[in-house]
């Protein structure tokens, strides 16, 4: 649904920006893993395409609020970072396919890198409500880019932090720490949200342990509703055939082993409907 939401609060979370927006309807329909698309630049802006933003928190206050987390990467997110309380935003959501939840209590490891970690906290809440054990592995380039460390420590059995520069927790990437966490916690499933290369590595680790992995991919989404086809990626279906699917509509959550990470950004020659003669880059 499309709503005009009023900004309730703005805050900085280390290197990131967080906006809490009053968005009745979106909040009540939200499930962990959903996202929203936000119009940027104002009504007279030349920035036509929307920005897809992660939902970090949902509350019932004021009829329903959502907290959006993002980092400034260009003119659109720079404009969003300048919003203040009582400004209004045009939002569409909740969008996408949410995380599937286990029927029975299981041990879950949640892996997040940079601001991708934001989507994992409502997932953790939902898993805890089902009696699951939750353990976090969170990372970033430096201490200021690790999102949600304090909240993770409050809600999880264990929280492992990694930074590439060694300024917080273990030196390295989340995938360096993941094998020992899976082994120590006797994990039954891994959930992850991170840049594509990290998701590829997380999936490889989970497959080594022969446990399922659910990944929320970070692909550029211009429309967020499956029309523009800018977010397609190759995914193997139940029938074993590869199809180019839309991250915004069929995703953003996929079974990790089904995503052909090595072919992201291309159309594999064996994908259904692909022209012959090898992989072709998506423009």
């Amino acid at each position: 649904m499309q709503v005009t939401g009023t900004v309730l609060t703005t805050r900085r979370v280390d290197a990131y920006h967080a906006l809490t927006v009053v968005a009745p309807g979106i909040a009540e329909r939200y499930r962990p893993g959903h996202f929203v698309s936000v119009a940027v630049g104002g009504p007279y802006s030349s920035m036509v395409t929307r920005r897809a933003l992660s939902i970090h928190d949902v509350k019932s206050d004021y009829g329903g609020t959502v907290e959006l987390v993002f980092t400034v990467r260009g003119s659109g997110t720079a404009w969003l970072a300048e919003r203040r309380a009582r400004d209004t935003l045009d939002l569409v959501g909740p969008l996408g396919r949410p995380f599937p939840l286990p029927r029975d209590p299981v041990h879950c490891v949640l892996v997040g890198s940079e601001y991708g970690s934001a989507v994992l906290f409502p997932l953790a809440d939902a898993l805890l409500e089902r009696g699951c054990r939750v353990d976090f592995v969170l990372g970033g380039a430096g201490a200021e880019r690790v999102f949600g460390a304090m909240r993770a420590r409050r809600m999880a059995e264990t929280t492992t932090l990694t930074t590439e520069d060694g300024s917080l927790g273990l030196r390295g990437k989340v995938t360096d720490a993941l094998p020992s966490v899976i082994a120590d916690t006797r994990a039954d499933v891994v959930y992850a949200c991170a840049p594509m290369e990290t998701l590829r590595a997380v999936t490889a680790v989970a497959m080594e342990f022969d446990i399922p992995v659910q990944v929320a991919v970070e692909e550029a989404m211009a429309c967020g509703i499956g029309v523009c086809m800018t977010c397609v990626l190759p995914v193997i279906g139940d029938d074993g055939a590869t199809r180019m699917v839309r991250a915004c509509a069929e995703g953003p959550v996929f079974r990790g082993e089904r995503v052909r990470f090595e072919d992201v950004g291309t159309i594999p020659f064996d994908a259904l409907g692909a022209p012959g003669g090898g992989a072709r880059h998506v423009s």
Side-chain angles (χ1 to χ4, degrees):
M1 63 185 301
Q2 184 173 9
V3 303
T4 299
T6 300
V7 176
L8 189 63
T9 63
T10 67
R11 64 189 180 109
R12 288 296 301 270
V13 185
D14 296 321
Y16 308 110
H17 297 268
L19 298 178
T20 299
V21 185
V22 179
I26 292 179
E28 65 186 25
R29 291 171 173 82
Y30 168 79
R31 298 293 180 271
H34 280 148
F35 66 96
V36 297
S37 68
V38 184
V40 297
Y44 303 107
S45 171
S46 62
M47 291 186 281
V48 177
T49 58
R50 291 173 171 264
R51 302 299 185 270
L53 299 183
S54 302
I55 298 176
H56 171 236
D57 209 358
V58 173
K59 289 186 170 62
S60 58
D61 304 351
Y62 303 97
T65 66
V66 295
E67 184 177 61
L68 313 176
V69 173
F70 62 96
T71 187
V72 173
R73 286 188 169 177
S75 55
T77 46
W79 181 87
L80 280 172
E82 295 172 353
R83 298 309 93 198
R84 296 295 179 264
R86 291 190 290 277
D87 287 347
T88 58
L89 292 175
D90 182 306
L91 296 87
V92 175
L95 299 172
R97 173 178 172 267
F99 286 106
L101 300 177
R103 294 188 185 92
D104 302 311
V106 295
H107 292 191
C108 307
V109 174
L110 277 55
V111 185
S113 180
E114 305 277 330
Y115 67 94
S117 304
V119 304
L120 299 177
F121 290 93
L123 170 64
D125 285 331
L127 292 171
L128 290 169
E129 288 177 2
R130 293 187 175 221
C132 296
R133 170 178 170 143
V134 170
D135 295 88
F136 274 102
V137 183
L138 304 177
E144 77 285 353
R145 303 199 69 82
V146 178
F147 183 88
M150 293 294 290
R151 183 176 179 185
R153 284 170 169 156
R154 288 195 298 267
M155 66 194 310
E157 288 287 329
T158 66
T159 297
T160 302
L161 306 177
T162 70
T163 49
E164 294 176 31
D165 63 4
S167 57
L168 179 66
L170 304 174
R171 180 184 292 273
K173 299 181 179 180
V174 289
T175 46
D176 296 326
L178 182 57
S180 62
V181 174
I182 291 176
D184 292 344
T185 64
R186 299 180 180 180
D188 299 300
V189 61
V190 173
Y191 293 92
C193 184
M196 296 297 273
E197 278 304 310
T198 301
L199 293 181
R200 179 180 182 176
V202 168
T203 296
V205 172
M207 291 177 69
E208 287 179 7
F209 282 86
D210 195 27
I211 60 175
V213 53
Q214 297 285 340
V215 299
V217 302
E218 293 185 359
E219 279 286 279
M221 301 176 187
C223 73
I225 57 174
V227 175
C228 70
M229 305 298 286
T230 61
C231 65
V232 295
L233 72 166
V235 176
I236 302 169
D238 292 338
D239 58 359
T242 296
R243 295 173 176 81
M244 301 303 295
V245 304
R246 301 162 298 177
C248 67
E250 285 77 31
V253 177
F254 296 98
R255 290 170 55 179
E257 73 275 10
R258 296 289 184 87
V259 180
R260 291 176 55 167
F261 288 105
E262 69 277 8
D263 294 319
V264 170
T266 73
I267 301 176
F269 74 93
D270 57 341
L272 287 182
R280 296 170 183 259
H281 284 276
V282 178
S283 60

